Amino acid sequence: MRPPSFSGQKVGELLESRYNPRRIRAVALRVVRQLKRDPRTIGLITFAPIFLMVLFGYALSGEMSGIHLGVVDHGGQDGLRSSLQGEKDFDLLYLGSQSDAQKLISDGRLQGAVVMDGGAVRLLLDASSPQVSDRIQAAVIQGLRPREATAGQVDVRYVYGYDLEMMDSVGPAVLGLVVFFFTFITTTISFLRERTQGTLEKFMVSPLSRTEMVSGYLLGFSLFTVIQSATTMLVVVFGFGVPMNGSPLTAFAIILLLGAGALVLGALFSNFASSEFQVVQFIPIVILPQVVLSGVWWPLQSIPSFIRPISYLLPLTYSSDALRMVMLKGATLSQVLVPDLLFLGGFFLVMFAAATAMLRREVG
Amino acid sequence: MAKDDDGGRAFDGRYAVVAEGLQKSFGQLRVLKDLSVSIPRGTTYCLLGPNGSGKTTLIRAIVGLIRLDGGRMQVLGQPVGQVGRLYPRIGYMTQHRALYPDLTLQENMEFFAGLYGVMGQRRADRISDLLEMVELTEHRDRLAGDLSGGMYQRLSLACTLIHEPELLLLDEPTVGIDPLLRQAFWEYFDGLAAGGVTIIITTHLMDEAERCQVVGFMRGGSMLAESSPEALKRLAGLFTTLRLWTGDLEGDRARLESRGYEVRVGAGPALEVVLQSHDQIKAVLDQVQPLDVRLVEPSLDQAFLKLAEVR
Ligand SMILES: Nc1ncnc2c1ncn2[C@@H]1O[C@H](COP(=O)(O)OP(=O)(O)OP(=O)(O)O)[C@@H](O)[C@H]1O
Ligand SMILES: [Mg+2]
């Protein structure tokens, strides 16, 4: 038997048979046509994010009066702790280490932090907002007063952060959340429909490969992801005055990569649902953990360390970080490459492979 | 796993589909039981059998949609494991709905054309020809979901034919289609078969089965018999009979029997003369002067019932 030859033409043919741009385009065009004809979904895709942002914006604007104070408690200062807990306008965030606290202050997400370490009390304050710093310092001294002797031991350090409103920090992360949520739900339902309306069976008996099918969906949906993230971004930036210090294109790139991950995850999960009712049940399984654990609302560092490994497996953790870096600190694409884009890219590839493998040819 | 090797006598190029000893179970339910089938190229082959006899399952096995538990099969000369390579040459119309209700007829057809690389002028021509054939031209911009049941079925057929497949598998394509259009479809199918296309079709309508060159009787997941409709009737011991009402039942019977005809007395009472061919009608009528005559053709369902009893 002759060994198989791999001439350029053969490889070209093989590629052509498995990955044909025309077929991908046919799928993409079809997806766009279907969505175009579905005004409710289009409305949902474009206006729901705006609605959500407005809702969050108002809900969070009330919280802006609170002072976000980190507490690193290594024991020994029960009196101070309970006195701080009694301060009504303090939002306490319990953290594991001083370096976590330092990072959050420099990110603008905390206005200060108290480190209690036996007899010693260290106070980290944001140098950019002196009034708040004074307020924190006064409260700490107040808390220590019953034990006058230690009052002198407060070691005050200044960290260079910046004055950040709650919406500034939440906005970029919610941008990712909104895109992830809607892309995941719409694609899960679309893929499920392919199966329930019998078209998947016809696909399977056509030259269209599974890779081409998922790629076609990616192409078709990316158009809507762009529209969706553009509207949401406009609301975030112009409606709520969240800064856009980096390039909007970089932010788009991050969102598109996240959206692509959500799409292939949806394609994968569609295999586990047999009705649209069951798709709704994925929301608490897939979306809720991300809302709670990925640092959208409260910093990752405040999540108890035994669940934090889960946080590091969630794509939203990385998109939130990357979008904050770009929008607030003006980071470039290369600055968010490691670990954020690398993780998002890896997540996409793994889920893509899993989704195409699951769309089996043998349906029965 | 189905074995892919060939070497059996029937496994040669004359057949579009040839299979031996196919086995398939869904859990406890044995759906294909040691099924064998051979479908010559360029024929119209009808799968006939009661609900649940495994017709759809056999078709899905042929196109590689289900993994067989045993047996071997070749499709267009390829072992069944390689059937994926043949998809550009196969057209499969599913029994159940498989189109996009939220796309127009034109868009549905364009999409399936795109999957098969039918582009440009050829695509435009194919779409208008096929819409013409299924008489849906004036509805081309309506949504597929708004079509009536029969119209939907017609669109589904048109989409299946878009890439001019050489092996067509049509699972109950004429359900819900009016008699006039059904007639037109069958003429179209005959034309395709004359051009070398192999058509595998399932139906519950006997007149449609009669039109096929080969009929496969399926029951309980196996092939009861496969042959031409006429041969199947003969195999079942059914013949065309001439039914004669005469004044002299016994006398006429004796006369005909003496000429070598097989004669029975049937309900009526009337004489039933078994004919080997229609040419004998005149000869029989020369012998007797009946009050009334009727030609009785056996039907395929009678043949099916007979064969199902025997085997
Ligand atoms: N995917 C499946 N899972 C479980 N059982 C199945 C599956 N597909 C078919 N069956 C069973 O296999 C048997 C044969 O089904 P099949 O669809 O092949 O029948 P059919 O001859 O096409 O019937 P009909 O004339 O009603 O179309 C039925 O009992 C059916 O319930
Ligand atoms: Mg069937």
Side-chain angles (χ1 to χ4, degrees):
Chain A
M1 217 177 81
R2 278 174 48 204
S5 69
F6 285 101
S7 62
Q9 201 194 342
K10 274 269 173 64
V11 175
E13 262 174 41
L14 190 71
L15 263 180
E16 179 80 358
S17 71
R18 300 296 308 274
Y19 210 81
N20 179 317
R22 286 211 192 122
R23 290 197 290 263
I24 295 173
R25 209 179 53 202
V27 176
L29 178 65
R30 197 209 78 218
V31 168
V32 171
R33 279 175 164 171
Q34 284 182 299
L35 281 172
K36 235 175 48 192
R37 204 157 280 137
D38 185 0
R40 212 175 313 168
T41 299
I42 297 207
L44 201 69
I45 286 176
T46 39
F47 294 109
I50 297 176
F51 174 73
L52 276 179
M53 291 310 302
V54 172
L55 208 67
F56 289 148
Y58 283 114
L60 295 174
S61 64
E63 240 178 277
M64 283 176 208
S65 59
I67 293 174
H68 298 276
L69 182 66
V71 177
V72 181
D73 190 357
H74 293 310
Q77 292 291 350
D78 297 343
L80 174 58
R81 197 184 52 215
S82 54
S83 140
L84 288 176
Q85 281 166 343
E87 292 278 349
K88 267 207 298 288
D89 50 353
F90 279 16
D91 273 336
L92 299 185
L93 207 60
Y94 295 92
L95 303 170
S97 72
Q98 184 173 334
S99 59
D100 281 352
Q102 220 149 349
K103 181 175 184 307
L104 290 172
I105 295 171
S106 70
D107 283 354
R109 305 191 69 188
L110 287 179
Q111 280 128 333
V114 184
V115 182
M116 301 176 229
D117 199 355
V121 174
R122 220 165 298 129
L123 193 53
L124 307 177
L125 294 172
D126 178 3
S128 67
S129 46
Q131 283 127 340
V132 178
S133 295
D134 290 350
R135 173 79 183 79
I136 294 171
Q137 200 162 0
V140 170
I141 305 282
Q142 176 86 33
L144 286 170
R145 186 145 299 157
R147 294 168 61 190
E148 213 75 49
T150 52
Q153 290 173 342
V154 177
D155 165 17
V156 179
R157 290 182 198 175
Y158 285 93
V159 176
Y160 288 89
Y162 52 99
D163 196 11
L164 194 68
E165 290 183 6
M166 184 68 177
M167 196 57 194
D168 292 352
S169 128
V170 169
V174 167
L175 195 58
L177 176 66
V178 158
V179 168
F180 192 92
F181 178 80
F182 286 103
T183 310
F184 176 77
I185 294 295
T186 23
T187 38
T188 311
I189 290 178
S190 302
F191 273 85
L192 177 73
R193 278 196 192 152
E194 298 277 8
R195 207 143 39 87
T196 53
Q197 76 196 355
T199 42
L200 189 67
E201 180 143 336
K202 270 198 89 96
F203 273 2
M204 294 302 184
V205 186
S206 83
L208 185 79
S209 71
R210 292 167 284 182
T211 318
E212 288 166 344
M213 178 182 170
V214 179
S215 304
Y217 261 90
L218 280 168
L219 196 63
F221 261 90
S222 61
L223 187 72
F224 291 90
T225 306
V226 167
I227 295 173
Q228 184 181 51
S229 37
T231 50
T232 319
M233 215 184 275
L234 286 175
V235 175
V236 168
V237 174
F238 292 104
F240 292 95
V242 174
M244 174 58 85
N245 293 323
S247 153
L249 286 181
T250 310
F252 266 125
I254 297 164
I255 293 173
L256 276 180
L257 190 56
L258 176 75
L263 186 141
V264 286
L265 190 71
L268 177 66
F269 269 70
S270 70
N271 291 294
F272 307 119
S274 54
S275 69
E276 287 165 25
F277 177 66
Q278 289 178 353
V279 173
V280 176
Q281 297 170 353
F282 289 153
I283 295 175
I285 299 169
V286 178
I287 306 293
L288 220 56
Q290 307 223 61
V291 173
V292 178
L293 295 178
S294 66
V296 172
W297 311 110
W298 42 85
L300 222 53
Q301 286 84 349
S302 70
I303 292 166
S305 55
F306 68 96
I307 0 181
R308 221 178 299 166
I310 299 174
S311 300
Y312 289 115
L313 292 175
L314 303 175
L316 225 51
T317 300
Y318 298 89
S319 67
S320 302
D321 184 59
L323 286 168
R324 277 190 191 114
M325 294 274 284
V326 171
M327 292 177 70
L328 304 181
K329 293 187 177 174
T332 61
L333 214 49
S334 61
Q335 284 170 310
V336 291
L337 185 64
V338 182
D340 296 334
L341 291 188
L342 229 51
F343 180 90
L344 290 174
F347 179 83
F348 166 72
L349 288 178
V350 169
M351 292 305 152
F352 188 103
T356 48
M358 281 290 291
L359 288 170
R360 288 174 307 261
R361 281 224 185 265
E362 288 91 2
V363 183
Chain B
M1 245 332 274
K3 271 187 267 157
D4 284 342
D5 61 314
D6 48 29
R9 59 208 145 67
F11 285 71
D12 66 39
R14 284 178 297 139
Y15 293 98
V17 177
V18 52
E20 246 176 44
L22 300 185
Q23 306 281 356
K24 177 67 190 177
S25 301
F26 290 113
Q28 293 295 309
L29 188 70
R30 288 186 67 196
V31 179
L32 298 183
K33 293 179 205 153
D34 200 20
L35 181 137
S36 297
V37 62
S38 41
I39 302 172
R41 285 183 196 244
T43 50
T44 46
Y45 186 105
C46 177
L47 284 171
L48 209 61
N51 292 140
S53 55
K55 301 181 296 295
T56 299
T57 306
L58 174 59
I59 286 182
R60 295 178 78 228
I62 292 171
V63 296
L65 278 173
I66 55 172
R67 202 188 290 274
L68 289 162
D69 300 335
R72 56 195 195 130
M73 172 152 65
Q74 273 190 5
V75 180
L76 296 177
Q78 298 272 345
V80 70
Q82 315 271 303
V83 73
R85 289 189 194 159
L86 301 169
Y87 288 154
R89 295 156 64 190
I90 293 180
Y92 169 40
M93 176 171 166
T94 52
Q95 181 172 6
H96 300 288
R97 296 189 160 221
L99 295 174
Y100 296 97
D102 47 353
L103 293 184
T104 64
L105 277 62
Q106 172 84 19
E107 287 167 346
N108 266 293
M109 296 199 69
E110 282 176 5
F111 173 63
F112 285 105
L115 291 193
Y116 289 93
V118 178
M119 307 297 263
Q121 191 55 44
R122 179 167 168 238
R123 181 177 85 173
D125 292 346
R126 283 300 288 166
I127 291 179
S128 49
D129 287 355
L130 286 168
L131 283 176
E132 197 66 39
M133 195 273 285
V134 298
E135 297 180 12
L136 286 174
T137 307
E138 68 267 42
H139 301 289
R140 67 198 299 160
D141 294 321
R142 288 178 67 188
L143 294 182
D146 293 343
L147 295 180
S148 76
M151 287 161 120
Y152 187 97
Q153 198 75 357
R154 280 143 63 183
L155 176 63
S156 178
L157 178 67
C159 286
T160 304
L161 294 169
I162 190 92
H163 56 294
E164 300 177 72
E166 65 178 86
L167 173 60
L168 260 179
L169 300 109
L170 308 173
D171 203 349
E172 301 194 21
T174 57
V175 168
I177 290 178
D178 61 70
L180 236 66
L181 202 59
R182 250 185 336 119
Q183 180 67 22
F185 274 15
W186 276 94
E187 276 159 23
Y188 189 84
F189 293 158
D190 289 343
L192 289 177
V197 176
T198 311
I199 304 177
I200 302 171
I201 198 163
T202 70
T203 181
H204 290 291
L205 299 173
M206 292 302 151
D207 63 315
E208 293 193 340
E210 295 268 8
R211 294 196 64 141
C212 290
Q213 287 162 280
V214 187
V215 172
F217 277 157
M218 280 186 71
R219 195 189 54 166
S222 37
M223 194 61 76
L224 218 50
E226 50 176 356
S227 199
S228 71
E230 290 315 310
L232 283 171
K233 290 175 198 168
R234 281 201 295 275
L235 191 67
L238 297 174
F239 296 93
T240 306
T241 55
L242 201 58
R243 185 169 284 197
L244 307 168
W245 282 265
T246 71
D248 180 12
L249 217 57
E250 283 312 316
D252 285 344
R253 179 182 184 166
R255 186 162 331 121
L256 286 167
E257 274 175 344
S258 70
R259 307 263 159 174
Y261 291 105
E262 188 184 333
V263 185
R264 296 188 291 258
V265 179
L271 288 182
E272 288 176 2
V273 187
V274 173
L275 299 181
Q276 300 304 323
S277 79
H278 288 182
D279 304 339
Q280 295 177 319
I281 297 175
K282 194 172 177 307
V284 170
L285 292 178
D286 283 346
Q287 300 298 320
V288 292
Q289 275 79 46
L291 307 167
D292 197 2
V293 182
R294 197 187 303 159
L295 190 66
V296 181
E297 303 269 10
S299 68
L300 264 177
D301 24 351
Q302 284 172 306
F304 183 86
L305 290 175
K306 269 270 165 62
L307 288 170
E309 254 169 46
V310 175
R311 307 200 171 192

